[in-house]
Amino acid sequence: MTTITKLESKVKELSKLLGALKELNAAIDLQDISQGILDQMVMISEAKGALLWVLEKEKNLIVAKASYGIPIDSLPKQTLSDGEGIVGKVMMTGKAELITDTESVIDSSVAYPSLATTILTVPLQAKGQVLGAIQLMDKENGSHFDTRDRELAVILAEQSALAMYNSQMYDELYKMFVSMIRMLAEALDARDPLTKGHSERVARYAWLIGKRMKLDDQMCFELYQAAILHDIGKIGIEDRILRKSTGLTESEYELMKTHTEIGARILSAIQPNRFFQKSIDTAMLHHERMDGSGYPKQLKGEEIPLFARIVGVADAFDAMTTDRTYSEGMSVRDAAAELIRCKGSLFDTDIVDIFIEILENCSYDLRLFPNTDDM
Ligand code: SIN
Ligand code: FE
């Protein structure tokens, strides 16, 4: 090869590499990233087949997450124990392995030894952690992988691993975030056993109303979050009022009402604030009523934000249908009739209509109420 054509092929390689990396960094879902990494790796290495293995830290297993040229479910082994096979070895040492004579190697992680004659295994590592490995099998043009292929694969793997690291980190942070919200709701349940489970149920009802209103997934999730935290301010209400099993006196009720402002104040502490603005407003305004008879601001109609109007309906319904020590829960049909009686005056008419439709769909049986599992 002349120097010019060498240079040209190098530039072509590099621009392919850059294009590949740009695409990877735009993705955030781990499955998308895994498949993306593998596809780019195949394109650049011109491999016939490829596998991407990911270490699942919690289970201490190495799992095949993506493949090219061979379906994952046709692999003899889709999971490896830590340290098993070439993949395990490469992940342990952090060094790429190029096997040019597969006949001589008996390895449980070789996907299709009958087909592959050369296998290049490179580690995926970022920030000092090994996250997985990629295996490339045979070249499309029949030639063998060489040390230049290995070098290129190692570079691409290093950059890809960073995208994977970010995605895993994002997943973990998201899980942590959701569980922190649940934890807050549980902290309230622990203070207030009379209404245990109330926050979770209200959140479920509100979420379903949002779905029926065709709010997008992100909005529905924010609605769920706002609803599960709507009464969080009750954490700041003293036990003698919070846990009182008989009706409250007027002055006690005035104190109870402050749970709205306390809730808004507690949630204002979370940063970044803009992610919680709707939750803050919902904690503050879920007792506002359409005719202005609610509290704490006596807002009317659409002055009350949508989420607060939705949670207002879900909250009233759950309060009516669950047993309190001082009152037995109403039947679902009676509670529905009460919502209908008060629609337009206390509750948003459209929201009540949607909720009644949902109740009809589950034949007024709360055990048939859809779950939020697919959130
Ligand atoms: C509640 O927030 O559920 C109790 C206060 C009220 O009934 O207004
Ligand atoms: Fe409340």
Side-chain angles (χ1 to χ4, degrees), residues 190-234:
R191 278 282 330 274
D192 181 16
L194 291 180
T195 57
K196 191 167 160 45
H198 170 70
S199 308
E200 186 73 50
R201 285 191 304 272
V202 169
R204 227 171 67 194
Y205 300 152
W207 177 78
L208 205 66
I209 292 171
K211 279 256 150 193
R212 275 298 144 81
M213 294 179 87
K214 301 215 165 16
L215 303 182
D216 67 31
D217 286 353
Q218 177 62 28
M219 282 281 263
C220 286
F221 174 71
E222 280 181 48
L223 175 56
Y224 179 87
Q225 171 193 305
I228 204 166
L229 296 172
H230 77 279
D231 264 347
I232 197 67
K234 285 189 183 171

Side-chain angles (χ1 to χ4, degrees), residues 198 230-234 256-257 259-260 282-283 286-287 289 295 311 315:
H198 170 70
H230 77 279
D231 264 347
I232 197 67
K234 285 189 183 171
M256 181 60 128
K257 284 176 172 177
H259 79 278
T260 51
T282 305
H286 67 277
H287 287 287
R289 296 296 173 243
Y295 65 86
V311 172
D315 186 24

Side-chain angles (χ1 to χ4, degrees), residues 288-295 297-301 304 345:
E288 299 291 349
R289 296 296 173 243
M290 295 304 276
D291 57 6
S293 65
Y295 65 86
K297 293 185 191 287
Q298 285 79 46
L299 298 184
K300 271 191 190 151
I304 309 165
S345 56

Side-chain angles (χ1 to χ4, degrees), residues 53-339:
W53 301 86
V54 174
L55 176 66
E56 296 204 341
K57 275 178 267 176
E58 253 118 87
K59 297 184 201 138
N60 218 22
L61 283 175
I62 305 167
V63 182
K65 274 273 188 245
S67 72
Y68 174 86
I70 175 172
I72 287 183
D73 49 21
S74 73
L75 294 179
K77 280 191 108 168
Q78 296 164 29
T79 53
L80 307 169
S81 54
D82 202 0
E84 188 180 347
I86 301 172
V87 169
K89 184 183 164 200
V90 164
M91 286 174 60
M92 210 120 75
T93 59
K95 294 240 174 333
E97 286 263 346
L98 177 58
I99 299 169
T100 48
D101 178 16
T102 48
E103 304 266 318
S104 68
V105 185
I106 302 161
D107 183 86
S108 57
S109 67
V110 174
Y112 41 111
S114 54
L115 235 125
T117 56
T118 61
I119 299 180
L120 176 56
T121 309
V122 290
L124 287 162
Q125 47 193 344
K127 314 246 179 197
Q129 288 175 39
V130 180
L131 310 173
I134 287 180
Q135 290 191 293
L136 301 168
M137 291 155 218
D138 289 340
K139 279 203 143 188
E140 199 62 79
N141 64 9
S143 68
H144 290 297
F145 288 121
D146 56 25
T147 49
R148 225 185 100 254
D149 291 315
R150 178 161 78 182
E151 254 174 61
L152 192 60
V154 166
I155 295 173
L156 182 54
E158 270 172 13
Q159 298 303 314
S160 305
L162 207 55
M164 188 173 238
Y165 177 87
N166 288 340
S167 161
Q168 283 184 344
M169 182 77 96
Y170 177 89
D171 269 8
E172 281 172 7
L173 285 175
Y174 181 78
K175 276 195 194 124
M176 198 178 346
F177 171 75
V178 172
S179 60
M180 297 277 267
I181 288 169
R182 292 233 164 87
M183 184 198 73
L184 271 171
E186 294 215 3
L188 173 61
D189 274 356
R191 278 282 330 274
D192 181 16
L194 291 180
T195 57
K196 191 167 160 45
H198 170 70
S199 308
E200 186 73 50
R201 285 191 304 272
V202 169
R204 227 171 67 194
Y205 300 152
W207 177 78
L208 205 66
I209 292 171
K211 279 256 150 193
R212 275 298 144 81
M213 294 179 87
K214 301 215 165 16
L215 303 182
D216 67 31
D217 286 353
Q218 177 62 28
M219 282 281 263
C220 286
F221 174 71
E222 280 181 48
L223 175 56
Y224 179 87
Q225 171 193 305
I228 204 166
L229 296 172
H230 77 279
D231 264 347
I232 197 67
K234 285 189 183 171
I235 280 182
I237 303 294
E238 21 179 339
D239 270 358
R240 77 176 168 89
I241 296 170
L242 190 64
R243 307 175 87 143
K244 196 171 175 186
S245 54
T246 53
L248 300 175
T249 67
E250 206 169 306
S251 66
E252 286 168 342
Y253 190 49
E254 285 308 312
L255 282 171
M256 181 60 128
K257 284 176 172 177
T258 62
H259 79 278
T260 51
E261 282 130 327
I262 297 171
R265 204 163 61 234
I266 290 174
L267 296 177
S268 301
I270 307 179
Q271 295 290 343
N273 228 255
R274 76 196 138 87
F275 287 126
F276 275 84
Q277 197 51 55
K278 290 200 178 76
S279 296
I280 295 169
D281 294 343
T282 305
M284 178 73 106
L285 303 171
H286 67 277
H287 287 287
E288 299 291 349
R289 296 296 173 243
M290 295 304 276
D291 57 6
S293 65
Y295 65 86
K297 293 185 191 287
Q298 285 79 46
L299 298 184
K300 271 191 190 151
E302 305 223 334
E303 288 170 0
I304 309 165
L306 176 66
F307 281 16
R309 278 180 276 143
I310 294 176
V311 172
V313 171
D315 186 24
F317 175 77
D318 188 64
M320 287 191 279
T321 49
T322 47
D323 295 337
R324 305 280 160 115
T325 26
Y326 47 90
S327 66
E328 218 173 279
M330 271 184 208
S331 76
V332 173
R333 277 180 196 279
D334 288 348
E338 190 59 17
L339 288 179

